[in-house]
Amino acid sequence: MTRLIILTSGKGGVGKTTLASNLAAALTDFGMKVIAVDANLSTPNLALHLGLHLAPYTLHDVLSGKTKLEKAIYPHPYGFKVIPASLGLNDLKGVDVAKLPEISLRLLGKADFIILDCAAGLGREAISALSASDEAIIVTNPELPAVTDALRILKIAEETKVKVIGVVVNRIKGEKHELTKEEIEDLLGVPVIAEIPEDENVSLSIAARKTLLEFSPDSPASREIKKLAARLCGVKYKDCLLYTSPSPRDRG
C-alpha cells in the first residue's frame, strides 16, 4: 500500500525541502521504495538539493500536458526516485495545479512512500498539494511565529480531511527563547514526532548537491531523520553507527 505523505509548513525557511530529500533517503535505507515529488511549483528547490536542476522533463511539463508522467520520474543515485519541478518562470504558464491530486493517484502502486514537498503557506498550490495527499507532516521551527503559522496550516489540513501524523521541529539550536517540545504540542494539539538539531552539515550537503545522509550519515540531523523514517516504517531504529545502509546497487 502506498502512503502519500506531504511535508507542509505555515512559513518558508523551516527546512522542509531538506527534510523531504533526506527523509526519502532514510526511508530508502530501510528498504522502502520512495518517490520524492517537488510539488512547490512557484519556488521549487528539491531538484537543486538533489542535483536534478537540469532535468529535461519536470512536473510542470506533466501538469501542462507537455509530457507524460513517466518521463518526469528520475532515479537518484541514493536509490529513491524524484519528480522535479522546473526552475524556469516561463514554465508556470499553462500549469494546472488542480491536477496534483490526479498525479498522486497515478503514482499509487509505484512506491511504498510518495513524499510531497509543497509550497509553504496557505496559497492555492499548498491547498492543491494537501488535496493530493492522505497524510501530512507539519514542519516548523521552535520559534513562536513559526509555530503559530504551523497552527494555521494544521487547521487547513484537518479541514481537507488529511490525517496529520505529527510535527517535526527542525533547526533546534537549544537557545533559551525556543519553545520546548511540550509547549509546541500544547499549542498545536498534535505530537512532535521528531526534533532535528541545527547542523552545519546540512548547508554543506546542499552545496555539494548530495543528501545529508550521503554527505554526513553520522551527523546529528542525519540520526534524527533516520529515527523519523524508522517511525514511519514501523521498525525499531538502530543507531546509524551500527546500521549499514545498502548500496544503490543492492537496493535494485
Side-chain angles (χ1 to χ4, degrees):
M1 179 178 175
T2 301
R3 294 182 66 179
L4 290 166
I5 301 177
I6 189 171
L7 303 188
T8 185
S9 64
K11 67 184 294 293
V14 298
K16 177 169 48 58
T17 299
T18 298
L19 179 60
S21 60
N22 287 288
L23 182 58
L27 289 167
T28 302
D29 278 342
F30 285 103
M32 299 292 108
K33 293 182 179 179
V34 184
I35 300 176
V37 182
D38 194 344
N40 185 346
L41 300 173
S42 56
T43 55
N45 283 302
L46 187 62
L48 280 174
H49 283 227
L50 297 173
L52 289 169
H53 50 289
L54 298 178
Y57 301 106
T58 68
L59 182 60
H60 285 74
D61 296 317
V62 178
L63 292 173
S64 61
K66 295 178 181 178
T67 193
K68 295 181 179 180
L69 175 61
E70 290 72 22
K71 287 189 175 181
I73 303 176
Y74 298 87
H76 186 273
Y78 202 89
F80 56 92
K81 294 180 179 179
V82 184
I83 300 179
S86 173
L87 301 177
L89 288 176
N90 289 334
D91 289 336
L92 282 169
K93 297 177 181 178
V95 168
D96 186 357
V97 296
K99 290 184 178 179
L100 279 173
E102 177 187 329
I103 299 298
S104 292
L105 287 175
R106 289 165 61 186
L107 290 173
L108 292 177
K110 295 183 182 296
D112 300 302
F113 286 87
I114 308 296
I115 304 296
L116 289 89
D117 177 27
C118 79
L122 306 175
R124 187 179 175 215
E125 281 185 45
I127 302 303
S128 293
L130 275 169
S131 300
S133 310
D134 295 326
E135 303 173 90
I137 293 175
I138 310 296
V139 185
T140 188
N141 295 149
E143 286 85 24
L144 184 58
V147 176
T148 301
D149 287 338
L151 181 59
R152 295 189 181 98
I153 198 69
L154 174 63
K155 296 302 182 184
I156 296 296
E158 292 174 344
E159 289 175 5
T160 53
K161 308 300 182 183
V162 175
K163 177 185 177 182
V164 177
I165 301 172
V167 177
V168 170
V169 185
N170 196 27
R171 307 192 67 176
I172 299 172
K173 299 177 182 177
E175 297 179 356
K176 290 183 178 180
H177 71 274
E178 294 180 343
L179 297 175
T180 65
K181 173 184 177 181
E182 291 73 22
E183 289 172 331
I184 293 172
E185 288 180 335
D186 286 343
L187 284 168
L188 299 181
V190 293
V192 171
I193 57 175
E195 296 177 276
I196 303 174
E198 182 75 11
D199 188 337
E200 64 177 359
N201 291 292
V202 171
S203 296
L204 295 174
S205 67
I206 294 171
R209 302 289 190 268
K210 294 182 177 181
T211 64
L212 176 64
L213 272 68
E214 181 182 11
F215 182 83
S216 183
D218 298 335
S219 72
S222 289
R223 292 170 182 260
E224 296 307 314
I225 293 171
K226 287 183 179 181
K227 289 180 182 178
L228 174 60
R231 179 172 183 150
L232 293 175
C233 293
V235 299
K236 186 176 181 180
Y237 170 77
K238 297 181 180 179
D239 189 277
C240 59
L241 291 174
L242 301 177
Y243 181 74
T244 302
S245 303
S247 69
R249 291 193 304 272
D250 295 334
R251 298 184 189 113

